[in-house]
């Protein structure tokens, strides 16, 4: 076993000296041959290198971004929290007339992109309202009756802080002993094998 590790290190060093691009074009160091007793040594070595590269890449992506299914649910959870903030925060924080909002359930039932587009529109409308409230035209508007500039600034900080917390939220811990299915988990608490659509 120790001699195999030494041979593998020698082959790796030799290939590094020759260049890894060459290896992926079929030009291997002859030191790789010492790792296999088979005359067709290149195919298993190349297969092993490709599997190793794929495993490294998958591990990197999982470490940085989490499992794909978990990422989908995490994004959805964060979007739902943001929608709830828009519906539950005070009028002095939201600045928009919620009577124009659609039913909350209809927003929450949209796909992630649909929810994100709705949130983007609310942010744009709110920014427009904030800009109008900060303009001085010499006329009194309803925006001026929403408090002083200092109180509006404070309400904005509270609202923005709530949204930032929602954007950084983690998935809630799911009790795996439940036997009920919520659509995301099959009975017994194990997730289904299929991936959600992107």
């Amino acid at each position: 076993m120790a001699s195999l590790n030494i041979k593998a290190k020698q082959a790796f060093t030799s290939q590094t000296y020759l260049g890894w691009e060459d290896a992926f074009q079929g030009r291997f160091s002859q030191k790789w041959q010492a790792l296999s007793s088979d005359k067709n040594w290149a195919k298993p070595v190349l297969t092993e290198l490709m599997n190793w590269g794929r495993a490294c890449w998958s591990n990197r992506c999982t470490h940085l971004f989490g499992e794909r299914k978990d990422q989908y649910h995490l994004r959805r959870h964060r979007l739902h929290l943001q929608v709830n903030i828009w519906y539950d925060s005070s009028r002095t924080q939201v600045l928009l007339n919620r009577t124009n909002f659609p039913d909350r359930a209809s927003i929450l039932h949209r796909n992630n992109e649909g929810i994100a587009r709705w949130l983007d529109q609310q942010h744009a409308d709110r920014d427009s309202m904030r800009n109008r409230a900060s303009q001085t035209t010499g006329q009194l508007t309803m925006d001026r009756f929403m408090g002083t500039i200092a109180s509006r600034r404070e309400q904005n900080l509270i609202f923005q802080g709530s949204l930032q917390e929602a954007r950084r939220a983690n998935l809630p811990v799911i009790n795996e002993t439940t036997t009920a299915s919520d659509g995301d988990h099959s009975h017994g608490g194990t997730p289904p094998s299929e991936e959600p659509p992107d």
Side-chain angles (χ1 to χ4, degrees):
M1 184 74 174
S3 67
L4 184 62
N5 284 340
I6 292 170
K7 289 178 185 178
K9 286 180 183 179
Q10 289 173 345
F12 184 87
T13 303
S14 177
Q15 190 65 55
T16 301
Y17 180 72
L18 293 173
W20 283 98
E21 284 94 24
D22 289 345
F24 292 112
Q25 293 176 6
R27 293 185 290 268
F28 291 98
S29 166
Q30 291 180 350
K31 303 259 184 192
W32 289 112
Q33 191 172 12
L35 295 174
S36 176
S37 59
D38 190 2
K39 288 188 182 210
N40 296 327
W41 60 271
K43 184 177 179 183
V45 169
L46 183 57
T47 302
E48 191 60 35
L49 287 173
M50 289 182 358
N51 289 339
W52 174 75
R54 175 74 176 174
C56 288
W57 183 256
S58 296
N59 185 42
R60 172 207 175 269
C61 291
T62 300
H63 179 71
L64 290 175
F65 307 113
E67 293 290 334
R68 184 178 171 146
K69 184 175 179 66
D70 288 344
Q71 278 301 105
Y72 172 84
H73 289 295
L74 177 60
R75 182 167 187 235
R76 187 160 189 83
H77 174 67
R78 289 174 175 172
L79 290 170
H80 280 208
L81 290 174
Q82 291 176 64
V83 168
N84 288 328
I85 289 169
W86 279 94
Y87 278 88
D88 297 337
S89 295
S90 69
R91 169 81 162 89
T92 57
Q93 291 177 0
V94 176
L95 301 179
L96 301 177
N97 185 358
R98 280 190 285 254
T99 58
N100 298 331
F101 282 11
D103 180 52
R104 185 188 313 217
S106 71
I107 300 297
L108 295 175
H109 280 60
R110 294 180 184 181
N111 63 26
N112 286 359
E113 295 307 314
I115 296 172
R117 279 192 301 275
W118 183 84
L119 287 168
D120 288 344
Q121 183 60 52
Q122 302 321 304
H123 284 289
D125 292 348
R126 184 175 186 274
D127 289 344
S128 174
M129 180 65 77
R130 287 188 69 224
N131 288 337
R132 283 194 316 238
S134 64
Q135 292 175 351
T136 54
T137 61
Q139 299 178 359
L140 286 178
T141 63
M142 289 302 291
D143 302 336
R144 296 280 181 213
F145 294 102
M146 295 184 74
T148 65
I149 292 173
S151 70
R152 287 195 311 254
R153 187 176 299 130
E154 181 182 341
Q155 293 298 315
N156 181 55
L157 288 173
I158 293 169
F159 185 69
Q160 293 297 337
S162 298
L163 289 174
Q164 285 300 322
E165 285 180 30
R167 290 180 186 127
R168 291 188 296 253
N170 293 322
L171 279 172
V173 177
I174 298 172
N175 182 0
E176 302 228 0
T177 59
T178 182
T179 57
S181 175
D182 63 359
D184 289 335
H185 289 79
S186 58
H187 293 286
T190 57
S193 60
E194 71 272 3
E195 294 241 286
D198 285 331

